[in-house]
């Protein structure tokens, strides 16, 4: 069994590649069924010594036993794909594979190599363009702190890949140079696959400049959106609302992020792989990105007020966009489902399973006071709708009533 491992360097069309190939099977080559198109969780969990601390499971709030179950399933699925005798080649793809320590990456490739020859496919992106796109991704993931530098670790990843002895294909991620400007078509040309058998629907996760700024400001001001599956789902729905509401706003500019880009390896890359990128760091600083993100978009207030109005909610006079974002988030948290077709939130149907997440979010106001008191009180009231006689909730409400400050 031959294997192709797409080392999905972040922000190089990996989501499109994974979505396009997720159901691929031409009778000879197939995309390994590991649960999701992005196979990062399965591949990393299968080989990483620190799999229980993997960020995907940490954010979801899974127990150690639940994570162990996922590890067992991932290893079984990979082994089953490699053991097939009715196919010649299996394709694997995971964005977080590029972040594995060298020994664990080597172990993954060695495991695949036990079944037959391995090809490693890597796409790289212009450092400044990569920095702007990667910052969008980590903010969507919940970041409230910016890194000092955003790096693809080009030299480290390619050196580790070459050291495995596997065949290595390195491509410049420049969509306008691909067949039909389509990265999936480029992969098909490289691997001799049938593009007509691939899917065409791509996950729409791109944000406009306004949406990204608002999400950043929400992340920085509200700590209660991770550590519990319901909180995580509410954050996902909030992101969807922002993407839809500000879909026609200006795109994210490159300039504010140029100072965070890593240009250290561009000379080495040119000499070893013939790919040339320009150093854009002149006059740029790492603080440019933070200043840009902290600016309140001029087109935000009215649009967010309209989102609230669609659900019979009214922002008080003078409410800023971050206040309205919190209100929308709490609405998402109290809802069972956001319907992207109608762009509406369905009627609240709170149940006992919602209580831990609501209570945790509300009481976080007591710990560090990062939330507006009015918003925390709204969240507390939602929890009291589920458990009207909850002693902790009642004591907290009474204390807040006494302390108007």
């Amino acid at each position: 069994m031959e294997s192709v491992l797409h080392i999905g360097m972040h922000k190089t069309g990996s989501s499109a590649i994974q979505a396009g190939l997720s159901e691929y099977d031409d009778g000879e080559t197939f995309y390994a069924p590991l649960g999701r198109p992005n196979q990062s969780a399965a591949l990393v969990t299968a080989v990483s010594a620190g799999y229980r601390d993997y960020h995907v499971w940490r954010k979801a709030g899974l127990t150690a036993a639940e994570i162990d179950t996922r590890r067992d399933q991932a290893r079984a699925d990979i082994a089953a794909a490699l053991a097939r005798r009715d196919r010649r080649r299996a394709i694997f793809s995971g964005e977080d594979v590029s972040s594995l320590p060298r020994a664990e990456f080597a172990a993954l490739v060695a495991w695949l190599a036990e079944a037959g020859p391995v090809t490693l496919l890597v796409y790289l992106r212009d450092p400044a363009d990569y920095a702007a796109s990667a910052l969008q991704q980590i903010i969507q993931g919940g970041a409230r702190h910016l890194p000092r530098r955003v790096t693809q670790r080009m030299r480290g990843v390619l050196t580790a890949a070459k050291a495995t002895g596997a065949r290595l294909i390195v491509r410049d991620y420049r969509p306008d140079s691909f067949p039909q400007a389509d990265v999936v078509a480029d992969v098909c040309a490289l691997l001799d696959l049938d593009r007509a058998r691939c899917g065409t629907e791509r996950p729409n996760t791109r944000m406009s400049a306004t949406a990204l700024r608002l999400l950043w400001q929400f992340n920085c001001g509200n700590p209660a959106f991770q550590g519990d599956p319901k909180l995580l789902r509410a954050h996902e729905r909030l992101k969807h609302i922002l993407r839809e509401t500000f879909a026609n706003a200006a795109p994210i500019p490159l300039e504010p992020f140029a100072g965070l880009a890593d240009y250290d390896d561009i000379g080495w890359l040119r000499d070893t792989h013939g790919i040339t990128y320009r150093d854009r760091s002149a006059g740029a600083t790492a603080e440019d990105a933070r200043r840009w993100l902290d600016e309140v978009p001029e087109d935000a207030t009215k649009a967010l007020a309209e989102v609230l109005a669609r659900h019979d909610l009214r922002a008080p006079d003078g409410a800023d966009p971050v206040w309205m974002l919190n209100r929308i988030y709490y609405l998402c948290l109290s809802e069972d489902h956001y319907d992207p077709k109608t762009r509406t939130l369905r009627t609240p149907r709170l149940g006992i399973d919602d209580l831990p997440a609501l209570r945790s979010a509300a009481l976080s106001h007591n710990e560090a006071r990062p939330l507006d008191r009015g918003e925390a009180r709204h969240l507390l009231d939602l929890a009291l709708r589920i458990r009207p006689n909850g002693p902790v909730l009642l004591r907290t409400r009474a204390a807040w009533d006494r302390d108007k400050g």
Side-chain angles (χ1 to χ4, degrees), residues 341-368:
K341 292 183 179 179
T342 61
R343 301 183 186 180
T344 59
L345 292 161
R346 295 175 182 170
T347 303
R349 292 184 295 277
L350 293 170
I352 192 66
D353 291 340
D354 302 309
L355 181 62
L358 288 165
R359 183 171 57 191
S360 172
L363 297 184
S364 69
H365 176 71
N366 284 340
E367 298 170 2

Side-chain angles (χ1 to χ4, degrees), residues 262-283:
D262 179 6
Y263 303 95
D264 290 350
D265 295 336
I266 60 175
W268 174 87
L269 183 68
R270 180 193 62 238
D271 296 340
T272 56
H273 294 280
I275 297 175
T276 301
Y277 294 129
R278 181 165 64 89
D279 187 337
R280 304 172 187 267
S281 61

Side-chain angles (χ1 to χ4, degrees), residues 270-348:
R270 180 193 62 238
D271 296 340
T272 56
H273 294 280
I275 297 175
T276 301
Y277 294 129
R278 181 165 64 89
D279 187 337
R280 304 172 187 267
S281 61
T285 71
E287 290 301 311
D288 294 342
R290 179 61 186 254
R291 284 193 291 269
W292 182 84
L293 288 166
D294 284 342
E295 292 179 10
V296 177
E298 294 181 359
D299 53 348
T301 303
K302 181 180 179 181
L304 292 176
E306 290 173 353
V307 173
L308 289 171
R310 287 200 294 270
H311 304 285
D312 299 321
L313 294 172
R314 180 181 179 278
D317 293 339
D320 62 42
V322 175
W323 189 97
M324 289 188 277
L325 281 173
N326 278 285
R327 172 65 77 212
I328 294 169
Y329 170 71
Y330 296 146
L331 186 59
C332 291
L333 188 58
S334 69
E335 302 290 342
D336 284 343
H337 184 63
Y338 176 77
D339 187 347
K341 292 183 179 179
T342 61
R343 301 183 186 180
T344 59
L345 292 161
R346 295 175 182 170
T347 303

Side-chain angles (χ1 to χ4, degrees), residues 57-81:
W57 309 137
R58 190 172 62 250
K59 289 180 180 179
L62 299 187
T63 66
E66 290 171 331
I67 299 171
D68 288 346
T69 298
R70 281 162 172 74
R71 177 181 172 88
D72 292 342
Q73 185 64 56
R75 294 182 69 84
D77 289 344
I78 294 169

Side-chain angles (χ1 to χ4, degrees), residues 17-60:
I17 293 170
Q18 292 154 0
L21 297 181
S22 62
E23 302 293 332
Y24 190 88
D25 189 341
D26 62 10
E28 287 195 354
T29 298
F30 72 103
Y31 194 76
L34 303 186
R36 297 179 180 179
N38 182 356
Q39 299 172 341
S40 291
L43 295 170
V44 171
T45 303
V47 301
S48 173
Y51 67 96
R52 286 181 178 171
D53 292 324
Y54 182 43
H55 66 89
V56 170
W57 309 137
R58 190 172 62 250
K59 289 180 180 179

Side-chain angles (χ1 to χ4, degrees), residues 58-238:
R58 190 172 62 250
K59 289 180 180 179
L62 299 187
T63 66
E66 290 171 331
I67 299 171
D68 288 346
T69 298
R70 281 162 172 74
R71 177 181 172 88
D72 292 342
Q73 185 64 56
R75 294 182 69 84
D77 289 344
I78 294 169
L82 295 174
R84 289 188 65 170
R85 295 292 177 264
D86 60 342
R87 296 292 185 272
R88 179 179 63 84
R89 183 172 56 173
I91 299 177
F92 302 86
S93 174
E95 294 185 16
D96 289 347
V97 169
S98 63
S99 300
L100 282 170
R102 181 173 294 198
E104 293 174 358
F105 173 76
L108 174 60
V109 176
W111 185 8
L112 301 181
E114 290 176 3
V118 178
T119 296
L120 304 177
L121 174 60
V122 182
Y123 283 85
L124 302 175
R125 190 166 183 166
D126 177 277
D129 192 20
Y130 173 83
S133 191
L135 260 296
Q136 177 189 166
Q137 183 172 32
I138 70 170
I139 291 170
Q140 290 199 55
R144 55 174 66 97
H145 302 289
L146 297 182
R148 294 183 178 180
R149 175 178 278 192
V150 181
T151 178
Q152 295 178 77
R153 297 176 50 248
M154 292 187 290
R155 187 167 187 167
V157 170
L158 296 182
T159 300
K162 187 175 181 180
T164 66
R167 178 191 178 208
L168 177 61
I169 301 175
V170 183
R171 294 283 287 167
D172 180 8
Y173 181 73
R174 216 179 287 268
D176 57 2
S177 69
F178 299 154
Q180 297 86 50
D182 176 13
V183 68
V184 180
D186 193 61
V187 171
C188 290
L190 291 171
L191 302 180
D192 193 24
L193 304 179
D194 182 0
R195 179 65 180 90
R197 293 177 180 270
C198 298
T200 56
E201 188 172 331
R202 303 184 183 186
N204 181 21
T205 60
R206 186 180 299 277
M207 281 190 161
S208 66
T210 297
L212 186 69
R213 281 168 155 169
L214 290 172
L215 183 62
W216 163 260
Q217 291 168 33
F218 171 83
N219 291 350
C220 292
N222 190 325
F225 61 86
Q226 294 183 0
D228 180 284
K230 178 165 280 291
L231 297 178
L232 196 61
R233 288 194 296 271
H235 194 248
E236 289 297 320
R237 291 196 285 272
L238 176 65

